[in-house]
Amino acid sequence: MRHVLKRHPDSPCSAATHIEVEVARPHAGNLLLSYIVTGEIGGVRMPPVTVAARSDELWRHTCFEAFVHASPGEGYYEFNFAPTTQWAAYRFSSYRSGMVVATEIAAPTIDVQSSPDCYTLRASLALDRLSAFPRLASWRLGLSAVIEDVTGGKSYWALAHPPGDPDFHHSVCFAREVSPLRA
């Protein structure tokens, strides 16, 4: 199923005009995400593809993110995917607290495609090794993107935004539920 991301009202963007995320959970421990950006892609800062590797602070530039919460408890995971195919995974014990690198996750498979008016980043995550995730339970998702234009301006996109500044960690952003065999 496709989900539309909304641009935060305080972050203008002339290059990207629309972002959707296609979500699938074909197996209990897998999550497939396809971020589809439409607009004037040449106006979006998209660093070239490099060797896929774990890297920090990807959110400082164009980056696609997924936040996943599995009940019970306040803990959640954050996954970042860059156009370079670099990636990051973190575990939080509660809202913006107790952050640690999620070393137990295998590297995601990331594929990118680009044309003048459409950019797609596909990420496949195997989450079976994450002990905090009950495989057969439903998960709450927060899907988001940071889009940097070629002038350095940034826009923030999410399923929903809390009042105030952009905050992808806020519970309001965990706006979609995905069950084990559908999205």
Side-chain angles (χ1 to χ4, degrees), residues 64-81:
F64 303 92
E65 303 182 353
F67 294 80
V68 185
H69 173 265
S71 296
E74 298 179 50
Y76 60 95
Y77 284 85
E78 174 184 352
F79 303 98
N80 302 162
F81 315 105

Side-chain angles (χ1 to χ4, degrees), residues 2 18 34-35 57 83 101 110 117 119 127 170:
R2 283 195 179 188
H18 188 78
S34 295
Y35 294 83
E57 298 188 353
V101 172
I110 300 172
D117 60 356
Y119 176 87
L127 304 178
H170 194 282

Side-chain angles (χ1 to χ4, degrees), residues 107-130:
T109 302
I110 300 172
D111 177 53
V112 298
Q113 295 178 339
S114 188
S115 71
D117 60 356
C118 185
Y119 176 87
T120 303
L121 181 141
R122 289 181 184 85
S124 176
L125 290 162
L127 304 178
D128 343 43
R129 290 195 244 166
L130 302 180

